[in-house]
Amino acid sequence: MGTPVYAFAPGVVKLFGEHAVVYGRPALAAAVSLGIHVEASRHPGDHVEIVPSGTHAEIGRVLLREGSMAAEPDAPSLRAAFRYVAHAVEVASREFGVRGGVRLAIRSDLPQGVGLATSAAVTAATLLALLGVAGHEPSREELARLTYRVEREVQGIASPMDSTVTCMGGTILIEPSGWTRARVGDMRLVLAIVPRTATTGDLVRRVRGLLEAHGDAVERVLDAIGAIVREAVRRVEEGDLEGVGRLMYMNHWLLSALGVGDGRADALVRSLGEAAYGAKISGAGGGGTVVILPRDVGAVMAIARALGFNAVEVDVDLQGARLM
Ligand code: PMV
């Protein structure tokens, strides 16, 4: 049966510039210490078996054989949960001739659907583990290219932000011309999570509608976000947490100006006071994740929880997707 191969890919938090990045402005995002774990092992038969492990172990399994997908139980939610994995399997088969007879056990320590790049992370970890059992270890660049391709083919539209950051790790500046690493020391963050009221696609369309209705005004908001991102990179590299925090608050309220704010996130941002340097909605908005740069972690966690948020403390993951 061969030895199992374990891969990990980190989640991604958007520190600055989401939405504006869709319109050619820069964005800054970081890989975090929570992510997706995939264990791949050889398995009898000619199919790929996908099973959730950890706390979701009982929900069922998905079988892939020659391009067709069967879910047991046959629940649409199970098929939807694994559509990125299924497409990653197809790409690995098309590009590298990886064939069935493989079992993929997948575990997540990321909350799903709240803008932490679970889809990019599960894609990267699946590709890495699957290619690993076939004896191929892609370069980071190759993995990022494949991950982006799977995301784009499943979603129709995606920026390369999540796929680049989950594969490369660290804190990364995304620009239309490509990506560069920001030189950041230790940075602890608190992520506060609330259920989303809209999907990424809905929120991206909402901003596009506003841009179509008020082109000049919205372009200026996007430019202001771009200026915040460029200054934030400098402040982050200088370790000026006070400055970074102020810029986070500015970016937060500009996301509200773009119509993707959320009352619950605003209440948290207003309540942090001296406990934090700064905070902002992270990702597409409409709830989801609020990223907080804490001055006092314990106080931030207590405030977030008192307001009904699930809160976790994370570090920046410096290595990106990897075999373990
Ligand atoms: O919330 P998420 O993780 O889906 O982030 C979306 C980020 C956007 O900038 C709004 C869209 C994108 O593709 O960059």
Side-chain angles (χ1 to χ4, degrees):
M1 289 289 108
T3 329
V5 173
Y6 296 88
F8 170 78
V12 176
V13 66
K14 284 86 189 180
L15 297 173
F16 292 97
E18 55 275 84
H19 286 291
V21 72
V22 176
Y23 301 97
R25 275 66 170 191
L28 189 69
V32 297
S33 44
L34 303 177
I36 306 272
H37 308 254
V38 176
E39 181 195 319
S41 48
R42 284 285 173 199
H43 187 266
D46 58 356
H47 57 272
V48 175
E49 180 183 10
I50 307 166
V51 290
S53 69
T55 48
H56 300 293
E58 71 297 338
I59 67 172
R61 64 179 186 149
V62 163
L63 298 178
L64 304 174
R65 190 183 281 115
E66 287 169 11
S68 73
M69 187 184 203
E72 295 172 5
D74 189 17
S77 59
L78 198 55
R79 289 165 179 273
F82 290 118
R83 66 195 204 283
Y84 290 90
V85 177
H87 201 64
V89 169
E90 196 183 313
V91 166
S93 147
R94 239 191 285 147
E95 291 224 359
F96 299 91
V98 175
R99 293 282 166 257
V102 177
R103 181 176 192 271
L104 298 169
I106 300 180
R107 176 168 65 80
S108 171
D109 35 45
L110 284 170
Q112 267 192 353
V114 290
L116 291 171
T118 40
S119 56
V122 78
T123 302
T126 298
L127 286 166
L128 206 49
L130 198 56
L131 297 180
V133 277
H136 180 71
E137 192 169 342
S139 68
R140 277 177 196 287
E141 287 70 20
E142 189 176 20
L143 184 65
R145 179 182 65 76
L146 292 168
T147 301
Y148 181 42
R149 186 170 140 196
V150 170
E151 278 223 292
R152 231 182 23 233
E153 289 177 0
V154 174
Q155 284 168 214
I157 178 168
S159 80
M161 177 159 58
D162 285 351
S163 48
T164 304
V165 181
T166 190
C167 291
M168 301 301 163
T171 305
I172 290 193
L173 176 67
I174 305 285
E175 291 174 285
S177 55
W179 61 272
T180 43
R181 254 177 218 292
R183 293 175 307 278
V184 184
D186 268 358
M187 191 162 55
R188 292 193 75 68
L189 299 167
V190 173
L191 307 180
I193 315 288
V194 275
R196 262 194 177 164
T197 51
T199 66
T200 298
D202 295 337
L203 293 153
V204 168
R205 277 189 292 278
R206 195 182 296 172
V207 175
R208 189 185 303 148
L210 202 65
L211 185 63
E212 282 164 8
H214 306 277
D216 196 36
V218 174
E219 288 290 349
R220 283 161 200 246
V221 176
L222 299 174
D223 283 340
I225 293 176
I228 287 172
V229 176
R230 281 184 285 272
E231 186 182 337
V233 174
R234 265 202 330 276
R235 304 269 181 167
V236 162
E237 291 189 337
E238 288 163 2
D240 173 7
L241 299 184
E242 300 280 351
V244 174
R246 281 192 297 270
L247 292 165
M248 288 171 87
Y249 285 134
M250 285 184 225
N251 195 162
H252 177 80
W253 297 113
L254 288 175
L255 285 168
S256 288
L258 292 178
V260 296
D262 173 78
R264 299 159 301 170
D266 292 349
L268 174 59
V269 166
R270 284 184 209 283
S271 305
L272 290 166
E274 284 303 301
Y277 294 107
K280 64 178 269 296
I281 233 170
S282 173
T289 301
V290 176
V291 55
I292 304 165
L293 186 60
R295 210 188 290 271
D296 176 339
V297 172
V300 164
M301 301 284 258
I303 294 167
R305 286 180 179 150
L307 287 171
F309 286 76
N310 175 12
V312 283
E313 191 187 352
V314 294
D315 289 318
V316 175
D317 174 277
L318 296 174
Q319 299 175 63
R322 55 197 177 265
L323 293 173
M324 308 288 276

